[in-house]
Structure formats: C-alpha cells, structure tokens
Amino acid sequence: MSSVMEGSEWGEDGENLRYEETEDENVSPTDLSELLKKGTKESHDRATNTQFVKDFLKGRIKKEVFKLATVALYFTYSALEEEMDHNKDNPVFAPLYFPLELHRREALVKDMEYFYGEDWKEKIQCSEATQQYVDRIRHVGQHEPELLVAHAYTRYMGDLSGGQVLKKVAQRALKLPPTEEGIQFYMFENISNAQQFKQLYRARMNALDLDKNTKERIVEEANRAFKLNMQVFDELEKTGLSLADEAQDGGVPVHDGKGDIRKCPFYADKLGGTAGAGCPYHTAMSLAKQPLVQLILAAWVALAAGAAAWYVM
C-alpha cells in the first residue's frame, strides 16, 4: 500500500499536493537514487491516483478491505524478507540489509493476530494479484538478486514516507485502538528519525558498485513493482465494491428490498434463521400495506401538503 507514496508530500485532507523535488547537492544525476526517483515518477503518479488509494486517503476504507490489504502485505513482505535474508551477504544487495530497522513480517504477524485471532494462519489466503507479486519477488531473489534493490526501495521508502499518513487515516477511519493494535506494520520502533534514515539508505544505494545497464534494469524493475502494487489495489477495490456497506457509528445495516432477503445483513446477523421477520425494510413495507396505516399516511400527506401551500403563499 504505502510504497506508492515514496517521494510525495500530502495535505491533511489526504490530497496529493506535489511530488517532492528536494535537491541534494551531493547527489549526481547518474546516482541510483536519482534515477529511481525520476524513472518511477510516472508510475508513482498513476499508483497514487488509483481509486483505492484516493478513497483510502479520504478515510473511505472498509475494515474488511483493510484486513485483506494487511493479508496482502503479510505475504508480500514474507517473500521479500526471506529473499533478502538469502542475499544478505551478496555485494549487490548487502549494504541495504537492515533487518532490525526495516523488516515488517513480525509486525504484520501482530496485526494478523489482532484482526483474525490466534488461528489467523488458518483464516487467510494469498490472493491472485498478491501471488503474482510474490512470484516476481521470488524469481528476482533467486535469479537476479541485484533487482531486489528495486523492490526494497519501493516498499520500505514508501513505508517511511506516506505510510505514516496511511497509519493515521486507518486508525481514525476504522476506530482502531490508540494503543496501535492493527497498525503495527507502520511502526518503526528502531528508527528514531525517518528522514535521516532515508538519506542513509539512499547513500548506500548510490554507493553500490553497479554499471549503467544494471541501474537501468533496477529502475525498470521498480516500475514493475509499482504495476504489481496497482494490480493488488485494483483487486482490493473490486472486493470492496462487492461488500455490503458497513454500519457507521453503531448503526445496523438495512436490507434495500432488492434481491434475496436472506442476504439482508440485519437478517443474517440478528435473526439467525427467522426469514426476514425483523428486517427493518420488510417490516416497514408490510405495515405500509395495512388499510389503517395507509389511511393515516394519506391524512399525514394531506396535512403536510396544506402546510406547505400555506407557507409559500
């Protein structure tokens, strides 16, 4: 999620203000950090303008969708960090190995336990779009480890940037506990200053002994990572659209009178098998068909119409 937000500045209303263009006098145009920033700007802009991200930033996120997004992150980071562990001594990646500061898998396990309980492993599965992302990370780690730089950059730098905005939005919109359960993924307890750490990370990237062709391949892979992220976003967006609207402020979902009454949330959650007898919509419709009720409604409408006519005269 948060990887799309590296290099951005955000307003309090969740709108993307502008792409960060801060200059560093010690950075060369041929440095990998600069090539990545410029080479992924278009992909970055497309990702931040996906409907899922825009809705999320405005607090329009259903808890079930947020839980599924956390599941996607769990599978993604599990794969990424396993491949990073396997390549921690490889000179093409070793300088960027910061397990204590960056690794997210343990934090995501805590989030899983909060959302799904102790038996969370039995309740989750890797989605199709997430599996494609995982498969690519596995391939890179095992066959082209230098390209792990691209995946680590797009994920962790985003987590330390816009991810901190998403944490606040999720906590507020989903009414998560102030003790930060459910958002441990966004907590970097071993990084005291995110900005300074990002500068260190970019300096380490720029110091990697890479030729021009390899740098170009890393930029290309970073764009591929953005694309894989967007596919996950699109999948989550479609899932969200298929879910019934969640009750707000303790309200009860109400059947709209269309389709199978057995799908009524009120029916399913409150009645547990008594066909529609307590559904607010159907109760109201049944009452409206009673002659006495119709007479009362007609009198009320006539009275309201008379009052309205008096008011506009």
Side-chain angles (χ1 to χ4, degrees):
M1 256 183 305
S2 51
S3 65
V4 303
M5 303 173 74
E6 159 64 4
S8 293
E9 293 182 359
W10 297 83
E12 292 184 357
D13 59 353
E15 294 297 329
N16 189 203
L17 299 181
R18 64 188 179 85
Y19 194 82
E20 184 180 9
E21 294 291 353
T22 54
E23 296 294 335
D24 186 339
E25 294 179 357
N26 299 318
V27 175
S28 164
T30 60
D31 281 341
L32 182 57
S33 65
E34 285 297 289
L35 293 173
L36 279 166
K37 184 171 75 172
K38 294 179 180 178
T40 61
K41 184 179 184 303
E42 185 177 342
S43 292
H44 170 277
D45 291 344
R46 285 202 304 270
T48 56
N49 280 293
T50 58
Q51 193 61 47
F52 175 77
V53 173
K54 290 193 292 185
D55 286 345
F56 194 143
L57 288 166
K58 293 177 181 177
R60 299 172 184 167
I61 179 74
K62 296 175 182 176
K63 190 171 185 178
E64 190 60 34
V65 174
F66 185 78
K67 288 167 61 177
L68 292 174
T70 305
V71 171
L73 290 172
Y74 169 76
F75 283 110
T76 300
Y77 279 86
S78 293
L80 177 59
E81 290 167 6
E82 284 178 16
E83 296 306 327
M84 289 166 62
D85 288 343
H86 294 157
N87 288 280
K88 63 182 180 181
D89 297 321
N90 191 321
V92 300
F93 183 76
L96 300 180
Y97 187 66
F98 291 95
L100 184 63
E101 294 85 356
L102 292 178
H103 282 198
R104 299 287 85 205
R105 186 179 182 278
E106 290 185 10
L108 284 162
V109 167
K110 293 179 182 178
D111 290 339
M112 291 295 182
E113 291 174 345
Y114 172 75
F115 286 123
Y116 293 98
E118 293 183 359
D119 58 344
W120 59 272
K121 286 186 178 180
E122 301 172 10
K123 298 178 180 178
I124 66 170
Q125 61 182 2
C126 189
S127 70
E128 182 178 349
T130 304
Q131 188 62 55
Q132 291 178 10
Y133 198 173
V134 167
D135 290 344
R136 182 57 188 174
I137 291 172
R138 296 291 190 194
H139 171 84
V140 164
Q142 295 167 20
H143 303 287
E144 302 175 275
E146 65 277 9
L147 300 186
L148 275 178
V149 176
H151 290 277
Y153 168 82
T154 56
R155 293 250 48 113
Y156 295 116
M157 293 299 97
D159 298 335
L160 290 170
S161 299
Q164 300 309 298
V165 176
L166 294 178
K167 175 187 72 175
K168 295 177 182 178
V169 173
Q171 192 171 33
R172 181 175 64 251
L174 301 177
K175 298 180 175 62
L176 296 175
T179 46
E180 297 169 341
E181 284 96 339
I183 51 172
Q184 284 296 303
F185 167 73
Y186 300 103
M187 308 302 297
F188 290 83
E189 297 178 353
N190 294 310
I191 296 179
S192 59
N193 187 307
Q195 190 61 33
Q196 289 181 4
F197 184 85
K198 287 189 292 183
Q199 290 175 353
L200 168 65
Y201 196 90
R202 292 187 183 106
R204 290 281 188 93
M205 280 201 308
N206 295 337
L208 292 172
D209 186 15
L210 305 171
D211 57 30
K212 179 181 178 182
N213 179 62
T214 302
K215 290 180 181 179
E216 290 175 350
R217 289 172 55 231
I218 290 173
V219 173
E220 182 180 352
E221 187 67 22
N223 281 307
R224 187 168 190 165
F226 272 109
K227 182 178 180 180
L228 289 165
N229 267 292
M230 284 186 276
Q231 289 174 353
V232 174
F233 296 156
D234 289 343
E235 186 179 64
L236 289 168
E237 175 69 16
K238 291 177 182 177
T239 300
L241 292 174
S242 70
L243 295 174
D245 288 339
E246 295 174 351
Q248 298 296 321
D249 301 322
V252 178
V254 178
H255 185 57
D256 62 1
K258 299 177 182 179
D260 189 346
I261 183 177
R262 290 172 296 179
K263 296 180 181 179
C264 170
F266 187 95
Y267 167 90
D269 295 339
K270 301 296 181 183
L271 304 180
T274 305
C279 175
Y281 176 87
H282 285 274
T283 299
M285 290 299 294
S286 178
L287 286 172
K289 293 178 181 179
Q290 299 298 317
L292 180 59
V293 174
Q294 290 179 345
L295 181 62
I296 294 172
L297 286 173
W300 183 88
V301 170
L303 181 63
W310 174 86
Y311 182 82
V312 299
M313 285 179 61

